[in-house]
Amino acid sequence: MNPYISLAQKTIREYLSSNKLPDANETPEELNNKRAGCFVSIHTKDANELRGCIGTILPVCKNLAGEIINNAVSACNDPRFLPISEDELDNLDISVDILSDPEPIESEKSLNPKKYGVIVKAHDGRTGLLLPDLEEVDTIEKQISI
């Protein structure tokens, strides 16, 4: 199994069942030797409804393991939804997206919603990120508007 998803699943299971977290230092070497922003997304298996999606654009933890652990817990408590409960565990699909370093673009024409995510900064300081290859996002215009 993918080590990113495996760690996110383990984190969510331990957090919801015992309010404990895995030790980030006891994870595969590739997770301890890398730093990157990441997003953890949680959907229901039966209806494919979003239950939580939280992440970091740039890394804030000492390694990717810590980033995944923190974002998995935060996704369980995404303020847009009711907190995820332990009885939902068997009906959850968890995905982890590892972000590359953001790159500026010259124009919107260089975007591709199937290949690239987008970070948009508003004049008032708010920032939003949309991951690439989302099912309902098939145009650059829709990607930016969301």
Side-chain angles (χ1 to χ4, degrees), residues 9 12 16 42-46 49 51 76 84-86 88-94:
Q9 287 175 333
I12 291 168
L16 293 177
I42 304 171
H43 289 83
T44 60
K45 286 181 183 177
D46 57 2
E49 292 177 346
R51 286 290 285 116
C76 288
I84 293 175
S85 63
E86 186 177 6
E88 293 180 79
L89 279 172
D90 292 335
N91 189 39
L92 298 178
D93 271 329
I94 298 154

Side-chain angles (χ1 to χ4, degrees), residues 8-58:
Q9 287 175 333
K10 179 180 180 179
T11 299
I12 291 168
R13 188 163 296 282
E14 288 183 20
Y15 171 71
L16 293 177
S17 64
S18 65
N19 207 29
K20 294 183 180 177
L21 300 177
D23 184 345
N25 295 317
E26 296 177 10
T27 57
E29 189 173 321
E30 69 184 278
L31 299 176
N32 285 318
N33 294 333
K34 181 177 181 179
R35 291 189 78 219
C38 74
F39 275 73
V40 175
S41 301
I42 304 171
H43 289 83
T44 60
K45 286 181 183 177
D46 57 2
N48 195 32
E49 292 177 346
L50 184 64
R51 286 290 285 116
C53 180
I54 300 287
T56 48
I57 296 171
L58 297 171

Side-chain angles (χ1 to χ4, degrees), residues 68-138:
I68 292 170
I69 290 167
N70 286 347
N71 292 338
V73 170
S74 294
C76 288
N77 298 293
D78 187 326
R80 298 173 291 175
F81 308 100
L82 291 173
I84 293 175
S85 63
E86 186 177 6
D87 63 329
E88 293 180 79
L89 279 172
D90 292 335
N91 189 39
L92 298 178
D93 271 329
I94 298 154
S95 62
V96 178
D97 292 281
I98 308 303
L99 277 57
S100 57
D101 290 335
E103 299 176 21
I105 59 169
E106 294 286 324
S107 85
E108 294 174 7
K109 292 177 184 168
S110 59
L111 294 175
N112 176 341
K114 293 295 179 196
K115 186 175 180 182
Y116 302 113
V118 64
I119 301 168
V120 178
K121 294 183 180 185
H123 296 293
D124 64 6
R126 293 178 299 140
T127 300
L129 179 137
L130 198 64
L131 295 169
D133 201 24
L134 298 175
E135 189 174 307
E136 65 278 4
V137 181
D138 53 3

